[in-house]
Amino acid sequence: SQTLTWDGRTKLQILSSRDNAKSWNFVCYVSEPDEHFFYPHSYVDYEKKLVYLAYENARQHYINVYTFEELGV
């Protein structure tokens, strides 16, 4: 049987790519080091220049909204 652990997981973070996903650049952390989140989903609204990030921790759901300017895109 498989034991599920948090080992090997990293903080939830946002990365960006300017070369069609060949390489990635760190933008910012979404969570603190001791927080564990999963199932992140994102949506980019190019017209409004916003990025929506939804994620959860099995107890609560979160939605963050970032402007392109905040993310440096």
Side-chain angles (χ1 to χ4, degrees):
S1 83
Q2 182 180 358
T3 302
L4 299 176
T5 68
W6 294 106
D7 294 342
R9 294 196 179 218
T10 59
K11 293 188 273 187
L12 189 57
Q13 54 190 283
I14 296 176
L15 305 172
S16 69
S17 176
R18 296 182 185 263
D19 58 6
N20 207 22
K22 292 179 182 153
S23 64
W24 295 92
N25 300 305
F26 172 81
V27 175
C28 67
Y29 287 110
V30 176
S31 65
E32 295 298 319
D34 59 345
E35 295 177 308
H36 299 287
F37 294 102
F38 40 87
Y39 303 122
H41 298 281
S42 63
Y43 171 75
V44 179
D45 184 333
Y46 291 99
E47 188 174 302
K48 294 181 180 178
K49 298 184 178 180
L50 297 172
V51 176
Y52 297 85
L53 178 65
Y55 53 98
E56 65 161 297
N57 64 4
R59 295 180 308 278
Q60 188 170 353
H61 292 82
Y62 301 87
I63 297 177
N64 292 359
V65 181
Y66 302 90
T67 64
F68 281 18
E69 186 176 0
E70 286 178 293
L71 299 176
V73 258

